[in-house]
Amino acid sequence: MKALGFTQFGAPEVFEELELETPKASEKGVVIKVLAAGVNPYDALLRAGVMQKIRPLGFPIVPGSDVVGEITEVGSKVKNYAVGDIVIAHPSIGGYGEYVATPSYNIVKKPEEMSIEEAAGLSSVGITAYYALQVANVKKGETLIIQGASGAVGAIAVQIAKEKGIKVIGIASSKNADYVSALGADRVVAYDRDNVAELLADKADVVLDASFGGKGAAKGLAYVKKGGRYISLTAVPEHAEDKKVTAVRLKRTKDMKDKEALSYLADLYRSHKLQLKTAEVLTFDLRGVIGAHQLIDKKKVAGKLILK
């Protein structure tokens, strides 16, 4: 099969078209013919070699953990899935290939009305948003401030929180304010227009920092009430203990199952309570993958990048 990967670390141009063996399904797994794949900042870190000490991998490396595709092979112990099913998958790696193998507990059937592009961008950001709010343990009636509310994770978190009856204040740029309002946020504060520090000081029971690269951490602590919670996807703010704020960096644990999150998100979509934003769709080829990684390196992408 053909795959888009690299045999050395570096800039986006290290990608090359590879010819690899088509994977086989394990007893409890499936093989998926990839129709589209999402491109994540993590993929760029993998390509640049930043993750090598944390996750050492041998070359060639084919990134990709957001996939939508058609099942072509089913393991002998897999139930509820069949050849021909169109599924959303969250493989650990390999999504930039023509085919990818993954355990069946990492997949869910795609809602019929969900587009291929929407489905390809759902897995990683949706699962992250789902479990970030679980860790935050926000209760109905509490106030949640989301930094980076227009980003891929933040936008889904806004919608999950509103479905649970939580008051949501979103922080975003002024150009994305209407978009965050349309997601259901009770209030949107624009960091490039409003005096955020004054407007939001001590207003939140919980702050979720979904800002790009955790750049909101230094300011976000001021928004939490004394005794509140601060949940970050990247970096815990300093001096949280001084304010008696419980600050937690989201880390996946074994009890955080992909299927639980993906099933919830698929049902939310079917009930018309989940909007998904695609930033750009690029061709599923060498030119497309290099272009997607160049866009990620510029750190100005709002929404998901999709290879199709």
Side-chain angles (χ1 to χ4, degrees), residues 23-32 65 67 71 73-75 78 87-93 99-108 258:
K24 301 292 184 183
S26 64
E27 287 184 334
K28 296 181 180 180
V30 299
V31 173
I32 298 167
S65 53
V67 165
I71 293 179
E73 185 185 349
V74 177
V78 173
V87 295
I88 300 168
H90 190 234
S92 61
I93 201 167
Y99 295 87
V100 66
T102 190
S104 62
Y105 54 73
N106 286 339
I107 66 175
V108 68
D258 286 356

Side-chain angles (χ1 to χ4, degrees), residues 42 45 51 54 128 131-132 135-136 207-209 213-214 229-237 240 246-253 256:
Y42 176 84
L45 295 176
M51 305 303 296
I54 301 170
T128 299
Y131 283 115
V135 170
V207 167
L208 170 58
D209 181 10
R229 287 101 69 201
Y230 189 101
I231 312 302
S232 175
L233 307 184
T234 49
V236 171
T246 301
V248 179
R249 181 187 175 197
L250 179 66
K251 293 182 180 179
R252 286 291 299 269
T253 58
M256 295 180 177

Side-chain angles (χ1 to χ4, degrees), residues 173-293:
S173 67
S174 55
K175 69 178 181 179
N176 290 322
D178 289 344
Y179 167 62
V180 177
S181 290
L183 297 175
D186 299 277
R187 182 182 179 188
V188 182
V189 178
Y191 61 76
D192 57 346
R193 181 189 63 200
D194 303 320
N195 187 337
V196 185
E198 183 179 320
L199 291 172
L200 299 183
D202 301 315
K203 287 288 193 294
D205 297 287
V206 180
V207 167
L208 170 58
D209 181 10
S211 60
F212 199 99
K215 59 186 178 184
K219 297 178 180 178
L221 187 62
Y223 312 147
V224 194
K225 297 175 184 176
K226 184 178 179 180
R229 287 101 69 201
Y230 189 101
I231 312 302
S232 175
L233 307 184
T234 49
V236 171
E238 296 180 5
H239 310 301
E241 292 182 2
D242 298 346
K243 196 177 180 181
K244 297 184 179 178
V245 167
T246 301
V248 179
R249 181 187 175 197
L250 179 66
K251 293 182 180 179
R252 286 291 299 269
T253 58
K254 290 182 179 180
D255 60 335
M256 295 180 177
K257 306 297 184 186
D258 286 356
K259 185 177 287 294
E260 177 187 328
L262 290 174
S263 297
Y264 170 85
L265 293 162
D267 287 343
L268 199 63
Y269 188 94
R270 291 187 183 99
S271 61
H272 308 291
K273 295 179 180 179
L274 180 63
Q275 301 177 48
L276 300 170
K277 183 178 181 180
T278 301
E280 191 168 340
V281 179
L282 299 98
T283 52
F284 206 149
D285 56 20
L286 193 57
R287 181 179 178 182
V289 76
I290 290 174
H293 276 248

